[in-house]
Amino acid sequence: MAFTSYRPGMTRAATLTAAALLLLLAPPAGRATAAEATLPLGEPGLAETRTTQTLADGVTLTRIVRGTEPAPADQINTTTRGPWVVEVLTIDPRRARGQLEATYGPDLAHTEKTTDLVRSSQALAGVNASFFTFTASAQYPGDPVGLGLYDGRLLSEPTGDPAEADFVVDAHDNRALMGRLSWSGSLHNRRTGATLPLKYVNHPPVVPAGCADLTDPTQCAVPGDVVRFTPEFADTTPAGAGVEVVLDRNGCVVRTQTERGTHLTTGQTSVQATGADAAALLHTADGGCLRTDSVLTDEQGRQVPVRPGLFGVNGRYRLTALGRIVVPAGTGSFFDRNPRTIAGTTREGKVVLATVDGRMTTSVGTTMDETAAVADALGLTDAVNLDGGGSTTMSVEGTLVNHPSGSTERSVGDALVFVPGPYRPTEG
């Protein structure tokens, strides 16, 4: 399916890419509304309660509790009696005075608690968002594993993994979009015409085995990585074998280094290369100024314009699409019952962020199939599974409203937050 938007009546004159402006198909006739439908979890007839509070005009928070008895600890993954605790944040763009944004901490490479991200953004509420490197990188744990788009700044590219499902929102009107994006990037020397493909944005490059100790990094014959870095990544770029070229805001070479690792000032970017690509980068940068091409495309290959006000995070697997459950079959721990974070939209264009507590006797969590069923029951004609497990967190004004599964709230890479007031572009 193409990268799809969710506001009925949208036209090609809207601000988002034409590829994103496919009208949402209505759900099947006779289907109960989200307010009427009980959650399709466990045995029929389980007791279910809903409590709703208004956080602001057009913004509500609903707690749904299904099942009344705590689950036996050894039956959390199998019980048909729950319980389940679901928090549902609903934003009606027609009434809400504010905007949904994606945000991270002081830099992209490190992690912050969702409650802190909500507080520092002066947001009304928010949830954790992207999958991130977490324990895979002790030095850069917050690095997004997939799309990271923050106020028109592409700071992390989509992975190309068919499981990745991206959630993009336009802060100007809170239109939310979902789909699997692709990215391509390259460097082009304006004087010589030399061109070099980019592999990543803001991810530490891999140094090929046997090349780390070479006195001259350009002598490595094994292919490596070519990565663009921005000042948002961290205080310094990753250090190690390879070369690095620092560019000013016009793309002109400021300095060239035969070892990686430097501090970037505002307006500067750098390109690192390892392996055989080190020599290719020096050749491409020789003689002056580079143009950086960066293109996001939807599943039909049509370009998605990246501009101020556009935010995007990555998830894993679509849950619903055009009013139909589309989550794939799967096995293993990821598909078992876990805490879940969901982002989606209704047929009327409302944006919904939801959390399902899990791995506890007081809320057992949901399988991927159950998560999709919850999204469908909440009226989400299109929905994405965001990072879950111990990351699943919802916060209102910096205070936890759900119960994360760990002993403490986990720090995460980024969050989706609703910020009251008019949209204000990020400085810098």
Side-chain angles (χ1 to χ4, degrees):
M1 191 185 75
F3 191 58
T4 309
S5 72
Y6 310 104
R7 178 69 64 83
M10 291 169 61
T11 69
R12 292 179 183 272
T15 57
L16 293 167
T17 174
L21 302 183
L22 300 177
L23 293 178
L24 178 64
L25 299 179
R31 169 179 163 178
T33 67
E36 299 169 342
T38 58
L39 297 183
L41 296 173
E43 299 174 7
L46 285 177
E48 182 174 304
T49 60
R50 298 191 179 203
T51 306
T52 298
Q53 58 178 307
T54 299
L55 302 182
D57 190 27
V59 184
T60 60
L61 176 64
T62 300
R63 168 171 287 191
I64 306 173
V65 180
R66 182 170 176 81
T68 57
E69 298 296 325
D74 61 346
Q75 296 179 27
I76 287 175
N77 207 42
T78 58
T79 180
T80 59
R81 297 193 60 80
W84 290 273
V85 179
V86 183
E87 307 284 352
V88 184
L89 182 71
T90 303
I91 302 164
D92 184 347
R94 295 167 295 186
R95 298 175 54 210
R97 298 180 180 178
Q99 60 281 328
L100 192 63
E101 303 178 358
T103 187
Y104 56 92
D107 61 46
L108 192 70
H110 296 94
T111 56
E112 298 285 331
K113 294 179 179 178
T114 300
T115 50
D116 291 335
L117 291 172
V118 169
R119 193 177 297 113
S120 63
S121 302
Q122 299 182 315
L124 177 63
V127 298
N128 69 292
S130 293
F131 286 79
F132 57 104
T133 55
F134 190 36
T135 56
S137 173
Q139 192 172 7
Y140 307 115
D143 190 10
V145 183
L147 179 71
L149 179 60
Y150 309 94
D151 207 5
R153 295 177 173 88
L154 182 69
L155 302 186
S156 179
E157 82 292 338
T159 62
D161 186 332
E164 181 171 337
D166 300 313
F167 180 90
V168 179
V169 64
D170 186 341
H172 293 96
D173 53 20
N174 290 316
R175 287 190 176 103
L177 314 168
M178 279 157 274
R180 189 174 72 249
L181 298 185
S182 299
W183 174 81
S184 63
S186 61
L187 302 172
H188 179 80
N189 189 304
R190 301 168 187 171
R191 183 180 64 83
T192 66
T195 299
L196 181 66
L198 289 167
K199 190 170 184 179
Y200 303 122
V201 179
N202 286 327
H203 304 305
V206 173
V207 179
C211 295
D213 298 324
L214 291 176
T215 303
D216 182 356
T218 64
Q219 296 305 304
C220 180
V222 182
D225 295 333
V226 182
V227 186
R228 180 177 186 262
F229 283 93
T230 70
E232 293 91 347
F233 176 73
D235 185 59
T236 59
T237 59
V243 302
E244 184 164 13
V245 175
V246 178
L247 308 173
D248 65 17
R249 65 177 65 252
N250 296 314
C252 298
V253 176
V254 173
R255 61 184 178 275
T256 299
Q257 305 176 180
T258 55
E259 287 187 354
R260 295 182 295 111
T262 191
H263 172 74
L264 299 177
T265 61
T266 301
Q268 290 185 337
T269 60
S270 78
V271 182
Q272 294 189 352
T274 59
D277 293 298
L281 173 59
L282 294 182
H283 170 72
T284 303
D286 183 42
C289 301
L290 303 178
R291 185 186 74 235
T292 301
D293 294 326
S294 177
V295 179
L296 274 179
T297 53
D298 68 7
E299 292 174 9
Q300 301 301 315
R302 293 172 288 201
Q303 187 171 346
V304 177
V306 175
R307 50 179 173 67
L310 208 61
F311 297 83
V313 297
N314 69 77
R316 291 296 178 274
Y317 299 109
R318 293 292 295 271
L319 299 172
T320 61
L322 298 176
R324 297 171 176 82
I325 291 176
V326 295
V327 69
T331 58
S333 60
F334 188 91
F335 286 84
D336 290 341
R337 280 183 177 161
N338 288 289
R340 303 289 182 179
T341 303
I342 302 167
T345 54
T346 69
R347 185 172 63 87
E348 300 79 18
K350 295 178 181 179
V351 179
V352 174
L353 306 176
T355 60
V356 183
D357 288 345
R359 299 179 188 164
M360 297 178 288
T361 60
T362 52
S363 184
V364 297
T366 49
T367 66
M368 284 297 292
D369 286 339
E370 290 171 334
T371 306
V374 168
D376 185 57
L378 293 176
L380 304 187
T381 48
D382 288 82
V384 167
N385 177 67
L386 299 178
D387 190 17
S391 298
T392 288
T393 311
M394 181 180 287
S395 171
V396 172
E397 295 183 331
T399 299
L400 278 173
V401 298
N402 78 313
H403 290 85
S405 63
S407 57
T408 60
E409 181 188 351
R410 175 184 290 174
S411 293
V412 298
D414 62 11
L416 284 169
V417 298
F418 180 77
V419 181
Y423 162 67
R424 294 181 177 86
T426 304
E427 296 180 2

